[in-house]
């Protein structure tokens, strides 16, 4: 029996040696080690052996099986490597071929202004805040010291979803949310879409964009507000830009002001962009009303602050010389890619 095993081994080894490919190796495996393979049959036939012979023959068969299996595996690895080498030799890549062109779009003018403004305020240590566009009237109005009978709350101006839920009409709503959840010092700006029930024309749209700013800390004064806005105007609209303040009224600030900038197109002499005025109305601002601080859990005896808010479209139109707001929303690529 030992001799028979040795013969099988010799035969199998020479077949492995002569195998031309992986398939031939697999055939060898089936022929000798498979369920009905020659070596397997020997193991099956061991019943007829004496108890002394059985372990000797058993371990011999196992040894031969392990050796054949190892040789077959080695051979398979060899053929797999050959396959890879063949591929590497034939499938070469031509790195000088021209690549497929991907067409890059351009950043929308509104997004450009938002990005510029963010950069300027981040440079002054501000953080970017965010809030919901579907907002509680409480945050858009009540907490901002705007009483129920205020004209801004009329359905002619504001979109109502229910009596208490609206589409925010100003990014000022984010002020209340930030103050409620943040312990001063607070220095944020919040860009975002706002909604008003206006009909569409060259200067109005029911959806437009605002950027809100809020600073709360100890000893914040109107001088800080003026200095901040003067710096912002220079960085955003040009080093020569001047800011002037006119008294105004907002429910959430006291005192309140509107700020104009000297026309950055004509330098103040009067032109088409500033409609001959030399000044362009820029934003609303003021010192945060003590009632607002109190409504949002901040002690007005300890802290004070300023806030401001402006329309992004207005700046984009003045800066890029666009005279009809509708162009910004039509998304005609031929128009948009000029900027
Ligand atoms: N929310 C005002 C508006 O939509 C703009 C504004 C004015 C924002 C004064 C402010 C502010 O934060 O202090 O017209």
């Amino acid at each position: 029996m030992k001799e028979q095993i040795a013969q099988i081994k010799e035969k199998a080894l020479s077949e492995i040696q002569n195998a031309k490919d992986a398939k031939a190796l697999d055939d060898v495996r089936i022929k000798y080690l498979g369920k009905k393979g020659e070596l397997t049959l020997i193991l099956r036939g061991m019943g007829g052996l004496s108890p002394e012979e059985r372990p000797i023959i058993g371990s011999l068969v196992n040894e031969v099986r392990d050796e054949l299996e190892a040789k077959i595996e080695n051979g398979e690895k060899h053929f797999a490597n050959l396959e890879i080498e063949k591929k590497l030799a034939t499938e070469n890549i031509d790195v000088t071929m021209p690549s497929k062109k991907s067409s890059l779009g351009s950043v929308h003018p509104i997004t450009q202004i938002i990005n510029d403004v963010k950069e300027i305020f981040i440079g002054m240590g501000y953080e970017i805040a965010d809030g919901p566009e579907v907002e509680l009237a409480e945050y858009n109005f009540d907490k901002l010291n705007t009483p129920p009978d205020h004209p801004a709350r009329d359905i002619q101006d504001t979109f109502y979803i229910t009596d208490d839920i609206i589409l925010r009409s100003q990014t000022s709503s984010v002020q209340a949310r930030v103050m409620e959840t943040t312990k001063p010092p607070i220095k944020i700006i919040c860009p975002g879409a706002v909604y008003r029930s206006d009909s569409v024309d060259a200067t109005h749209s029911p959806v437009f964009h605002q950027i809100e700013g809020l600073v709360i800390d100890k000893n914040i004064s109107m001088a800080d507000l003026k200095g901040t806005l003067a710096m912002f105007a220079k960085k955003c609209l040009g080093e020569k830009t001047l800011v002037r303040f006119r008294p105004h009224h907002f429910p959430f600030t006291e005192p309140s002001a509107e700020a104009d900038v000297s026309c950055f197109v004509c330098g103040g002499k009067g032109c088409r962009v500033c409609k001959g005025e030399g000044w362009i109305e820029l934003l609303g601002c003021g010192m945060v009303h003590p009632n607002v601080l109190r409504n949002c859990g901040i002690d007005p005896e300890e802290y004070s602050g300023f806030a401001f808010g402006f329309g992004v479209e207005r700046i984009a139109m003045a800066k890029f010389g666009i005279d009809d707001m509708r162009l910004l929303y039509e998304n005609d690529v031929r128009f948009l890619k000029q900027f």
Side-chain angles (χ1 to χ4, degrees), residues 113 116-117 119-121 124 126 224-245 259-265 279-283 308 310 315 319:
I113 299 290
D116 288 352
V117 173
E119 192 134 315
I120 293 167
F121 279 100
M124 295 199 273
Y126 284 64
D224 298 306
L225 169 62
K226 289 180 120 177
T228 301
L229 292 180
M231 173 64 97
F232 164 64
K234 284 188 201 302
K235 293 256 184 253
C236 183
L237 304 170
E239 281 302 319
K240 293 206 174 101
T241 310
L242 301 173
V243 183
R244 77 174 182 193
F245 292 80
D260 304 332
V261 285
S262 55
C263 179
F264 48 87
V265 177
W279 294 90
I280 299 172
E281 190 184 311
L282 184 67
L283 52 72
F308 55 88
F310 57 87
I315 297 190
K319 219 172 156 173

Side-chain angles (χ1 to χ4, degrees), residues 144 169-173 175 194 196 208 210-214 225 248-258 283-288 306-311:
L144 297 177
S169 65
Q170 50 185 1
T171 43
S172 305
S173 54
Q175 284 188 28
V194 299
R196 288 188 196 172
F208 60 103
Q210 285 189 329
I211 297 180
E212 193 77 14
L214 174 72
L225 169 62
H248 201 78
H249 170 78
F250 296 104
F252 30 88
T253 40
E254 182 59 37
S256 304
E258 275 195 331
L283 52 72
C285 60
M287 300 305 294
V288 179
F306 64 78
F308 55 88
F310 57 87

Side-chain angles (χ1 to χ4, degrees), residues 46-306:
M46 279 197 345
L49 296 177
S50 67
E52 296 82 44
E53 265 182 322
R54 234 179 269 161
I56 301 172
I57 296 298
S59 72
L60 184 60
V61 171
N62 282 339
E63 230 171 72
V64 172
R65 192 190 53 203
D66 289 350
E67 187 181 342
L68 292 182
E69 187 56 62
K71 286 255 156 62
I72 291 172
E73 262 176 40
N74 260 344
E76 283 171 338
K77 270 187 206 145
H78 168 71
F79 287 122
N81 282 339
L82 276 187
E83 192 69 20
I84 291 174
E85 273 168 30
K86 209 169 94 191
K87 272 196 179 164
L88 284 177
T90 53
E91 295 177 7
N92 43 15
I93 298 166
D94 181 357
V95 292
T96 64
M97 286 250 289
S99 62
K100 275 190 206 151
K101 273 222 169 103
S102 55
S103 58
L104 256 192
S106 57
V107 180
H108 193 282
I110 292 178
T111 311
Q112 279 188 48
I113 299 290
I114 291 178
N115 289 347
D116 288 352
V117 173
K118 275 188 185 172
E119 192 134 315
I120 293 167
F121 279 100
I122 287 171
M124 295 199 273
Y126 284 64
E127 285 178 61
I128 311 297
D130 200 7
E133 290 175 19
V134 179
E135 182 57 287
L136 295 171
E138 191 186 348
Y139 286 94
N140 198 85
F141 296 125
D142 299 291
K143 287 188 190 274
L144 297 177
N145 200 36
T146 309
D149 57 355
H150 192 280
R153 299 183 71 142
D154 199 282
I155 50 164
Q156 303 232 314
D157 290 305
T158 299
F159 288 115
Y160 280 82
I161 291 172
T162 67
D163 283 349
D164 308 321
I165 301 173
I166 59 163
L167 296 182
R168 72 178 178 196
S169 65
Q170 50 185 1
T171 43
S172 305
S173 54
V174 182
Q175 284 188 28
R177 289 190 171 270
V178 171
M179 280 190 267
E180 234 179 37
T181 52
T182 318
K183 195 178 146 36
I186 294 170
K187 260 175 106 173
I188 56 115
I189 61 161
C190 164
V194 299
Y195 302 81
R196 288 188 196 172
S197 77
D198 279 327
S199 34
V200 175
D201 64 24
T203 52
H204 292 86
S205 158
V207 192
F208 60 103
H209 298 80
Q210 285 189 329
I211 297 180
E212 193 77 14
L214 174 72
V215 171
I216 308 280
D217 203 348
K218 289 179 176 155
N219 302 317
I220 296 291
S221 75
M222 192 90 183
D224 298 306
L225 169 62
K226 289 180 120 177
T228 301
L229 292 180
M231 173 64 97
F232 164 64
K234 284 188 201 302
K235 293 256 184 253
C236 183
L237 304 170
E239 281 302 319
K240 293 206 174 101
T241 310
L242 301 173
V243 183
R244 77 174 182 193
F245 292 80
R246 286 176 286 106
H248 201 78
H249 170 78
F250 296 104
F252 30 88
T253 40
E254 182 59 37
S256 304
E258 275 195 331
D260 304 332
V261 285
S262 55
C263 179
F264 48 87
V265 177
C266 65
K269 286 188 216 81
C271 68
R272 210 171 60 95
V273 173
C274 60
K275 298 185 186 81
E277 293 282 319
W279 294 90
I280 299 172
E281 190 184 311
L282 184 67
L283 52 72
C285 60
M287 300 305 294
V288 179
H289 197 293
N291 286 350
V292 174
L293 292 173
R294 232 175 270 121
N295 290 344
C296 301
I298 293 177
D299 180 1
E301 297 299 322
E302 192 179 357
Y303 291 103
S304 56
F306 64 78

